[in-house]
């Protein structure tokens, strides 16, 4: 079975940076669309960013555009989320997701367990 494992979360001050990683196993990683989502307590899950299998296409939520960057290394079966200029409202559990479709929207087939990001103001 496919598995996604996130890492890199933690506590950071507002204005700081973090890089999240998501390692995939048991999947044909280079064929998958990869995405990042987040969910804060009491809020719905929110789309953050997605990247196509070839890394030729990326898209971002308006709330993170210009601050966050999604990338992937198909040789390492890993997708990254570089988060800069973090704000308190970025505090959430962050999840990576994978799907074989080009545009899975929010309905990704595989999900990680999440990593917590806390931004102190």
């Amino acid at each position: 079975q496919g598995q996604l494992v996130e890492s890199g979360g933690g506590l950071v001050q507002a204005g700081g940076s973090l890089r999240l990683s998501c390692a995939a196993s048991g999947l044909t990683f280079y064929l998958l669309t990869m995405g990042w989502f987040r969910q804060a307590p009491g809020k719905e899950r929110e789309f953050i960013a997605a990247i196509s299998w070839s890394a030729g296409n990326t898209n971002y939520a308006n709330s993170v555009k210009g601050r966050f960057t999604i990338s992937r290394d198909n040789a390492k079966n890993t997708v990254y989320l570089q988060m800069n200029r973090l704000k308190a409202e970025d505090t959430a559990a962050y999840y990576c997701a994978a799907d074989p479709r080009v545009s899975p929207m929010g309905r990704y087939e595989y999900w990680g367990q999440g990593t917590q990001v806390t931004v102190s103001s």
Side-chain angles (χ1 to χ4, degrees):
Q1 285 87 354
Q3 186 177 18
L4 301 173
V5 179
E6 303 95 335
S7 61
L11 175 64
V12 63
Q13 287 189 331
S17 298
L18 280 175
R19 188 175 82 154
L20 305 184
S21 300
C22 172
S25 60
L27 299 170
T28 310
F29 181 81
Y30 69 93
L31 293 178
L32 299 173
T33 298
M34 300 298 298
W36 284 98
F37 293 77
R38 69 185 180 189
Q39 187 167 20
K43 295 188 176 181
E44 293 187 353
R45 187 176 63 198
E46 175 189 15
F47 167 79
I48 296 300
I51 187 166
S52 63
W53 65 272
S54 66
N57 291 299
T58 58
N59 61 84
Y60 298 91
N62 288 334
S63 58
V64 305
K65 198 171 293 184
R67 299 188 299 123
F68 291 11
T69 302
I70 188 171
S71 62
R72 66 190 295 161
D73 185 337
N74 286 346
K76 296 182 178 180
N77 288 356
T78 301
V79 63
Y80 305 97
L81 186 68
Q82 178 66 44
M83 306 186 294
N84 298 328
R85 304 200 308 276
L86 282 160
K87 306 175 183 179
E89 52 264 42
D90 294 320
T91 295
Y94 283 70
Y95 300 88
C96 77
D99 197 277
R101 293 169 293 176
V102 172
S103 299
M105 305 302 286
R107 293 184 289 275
Y108 282 68
E109 183 172 353
Y110 302 96
W111 292 86
Q113 293 300 305
T115 186
Q116 179 67 34
V117 171
T118 302
V119 183
S120 62
S121 57

